[in-house]
Amino acid sequence: MNYRCNRWLKINQLHLVLSATIFCIVCFSWGFMASAAQMPEIQRRGYLTIAVKDNLRPLGFRDVDGNLQGLEIDLAKRLALDLLGKADAVRFQPVANRDRLSVVLNNKVDLAIARVTATESRARLVSFSVPYYFDGTLIVTKDACVSQLSDLANRKIAVIKNSSTIAQVRYYVPKAELVGVDSYQEGRSLTENNTVVAFAADASVLSGWVQQYPQYRLLPTKLSTEPLSVVMPKGLQYDQLRRQVNEAIAKYTAEGWLKERVQYWGLP
């Protein structure tokens, strides 16, 4: 009796294993068939949809006529040219910071080029291209007496609350007094009315300040280095798209095109 019972259990276990295996093979086949269609689908419709910033000089912003421009806009158009043959084969979707990953996760856009730093935690949700620019922390000031980090000892520096910038400033300027702010606007306001002598934040943002407000200067020392990358969806079905984007950006770097555009837009 026990022998028959054991044999019956083993047969059923084998049946379950085989069923699960067949199910996985079928699912994988469906996924593989979808993966081959993704890039051809973009090619058939004739354009890329890309999430960008429209209020962040000099990466992505609107000129006086309302047209989008900036380093990231240039990159999007160059990708459209290389992937689809036309620089205007792209539809832009301006996004807020909080939506930069979700629009890719929810398949609302093909890519996001919107000042996204590639981090390990974000890489669990989306894929990142090779970097197109290395951002980092810089310090901006309008005080003529401040020309190097040592001049900030015992002075007030504004920093975004709960940001990684706090640790960086404490390391490089340990005697500075840090003043927490909730936004870039508040940081500039405190700097403008001389409540603080300087503001430490992302180089890509502060370089836009210097372009808009000539009274500000960037100190030469970068406190950190952080890669900005194109946000791409995960999944086998997007493998061809990811590969082509990575190959294109690697080419732009090797040929010097990205360096030229970075210099053109006045990025440090």
Side-chain angles (χ1 to χ4, degrees):
M1 184 69 178
N2 288 336
Y3 169 78
R4 289 182 178 178
C5 238
N6 288 337
R7 187 168 180 271
W8 181 84
L9 287 172
K10 287 180 180 179
I11 290 172
N12 275 275
Q13 288 171 349
L14 180 60
H15 175 74
L16 289 172
V17 170
L18 288 172
S19 298
T21 303
I22 292 168
F23 176 78
C24 290
I25 290 172
V26 170
C27 288
F28 176 80
S29 298
W30 288 343
F32 182 80
M33 286 187 292
S35 71
Q38 181 61 23
M39 192 59 200
E41 179 185 342
I42 293 174
Q43 292 170 331
R44 280 195 300 272
R45 79 182 182 210
Y47 61 88
L48 286 164
T49 56
I50 300 180
V52 296
K53 298 295 295 179
D54 66 349
N55 58 355
L56 188 63
R57 182 190 296 264
L59 295 181
F61 65 103
R62 295 189 183 277
D63 61 18
V64 293
D65 297 318
N67 300 312
L68 284 168
Q69 59 177 318
L71 173 66
E72 293 179 334
I73 307 303
D74 286 352
L75 176 58
K77 291 179 178 179
R78 182 66 189 270
L79 286 172
L81 176 62
D82 279 3
L83 270 61
L84 298 173
K86 295 184 294 183
D88 61 352
V90 56
R91 296 187 181 180
F92 294 113
Q93 179 175 319
V95 290
N97 284 346
R98 64 178 180 274
D99 299 323
R100 292 174 297 175
L101 298 188
S102 64
V103 289
V104 177
L105 282 168
N106 297 328
N107 298 314
K108 293 181 178 179
V109 296
D110 300 314
L111 308 168
I113 311 178
R115 199 181 71 84
V116 180
T117 302
T119 65
E120 186 178 348
S121 59
R122 288 171 173 170
R124 298 190 186 102
L125 303 174
V126 295
S127 292
F128 287 109
S129 72
V130 295
Y132 58 84
Y133 176 68
F134 286 94
D135 206 352
T137 299
L138 282 179
I139 295 177
V140 70
T141 183
K142 64 183 181 69
D143 191 322
C145 296
V146 177
S147 60
Q148 55 189 349
L149 294 182
S150 59
D151 296 331
L152 294 170
N154 303 312
R155 308 290 296 276
K156 291 182 178 180
I157 303 175
V159 293
I160 300 290
K161 293 177 182 176
N162 302 316
S163 68
S164 59
T165 301
I166 296 171
Q168 295 157 5
V169 175
R170 282 178 174 163
Y171 178 81
Y172 283 95
V173 197
K175 294 184 179 180
E177 180 182 345
L178 304 190
V179 178
V181 296
D182 292 315
S183 65
Y184 279 88
Q185 290 78 8
E186 185 181 356
R188 192 172 77 82
S189 176
L190 294 185
T191 309
E192 190 64 29
N193 64 27
N194 299 313
T195 300
V196 299
V197 72
F199 179 37
D202 292 327
S204 57
V205 179
L206 297 184
S207 62
W209 283 21
V210 174
Q211 294 172 20
Q212 289 180 283
Y213 311 106
Q215 68 269 33
Y216 287 98
R217 295 175 293 105
L218 291 172
L219 298 189
T221 304
K222 186 178 280 190
L223 309 189
S224 67
T225 301
E226 300 162 359
L228 298 189
S229 297
V230 177
V231 181
M232 305 180 288
K234 283 185 174 294
L236 287 174
Q237 63 269 40
Y238 304 105
D239 182 65
Q240 185 181 355
L241 174 63
R242 291 194 301 265
R243 185 173 63 254
Q244 290 189 235
V245 169
N246 277 319
E247 289 174 352
I249 294 175
K251 182 182 73 171
Y252 306 155
T253 301
E255 293 177 348
W257 180 83
L258 271 172
K259 181 179 180 181
E260 184 274 324
R261 298 320 293 167
V262 165
Q263 292 173 344
Y264 176 85
W265 289 110
L267 284 156

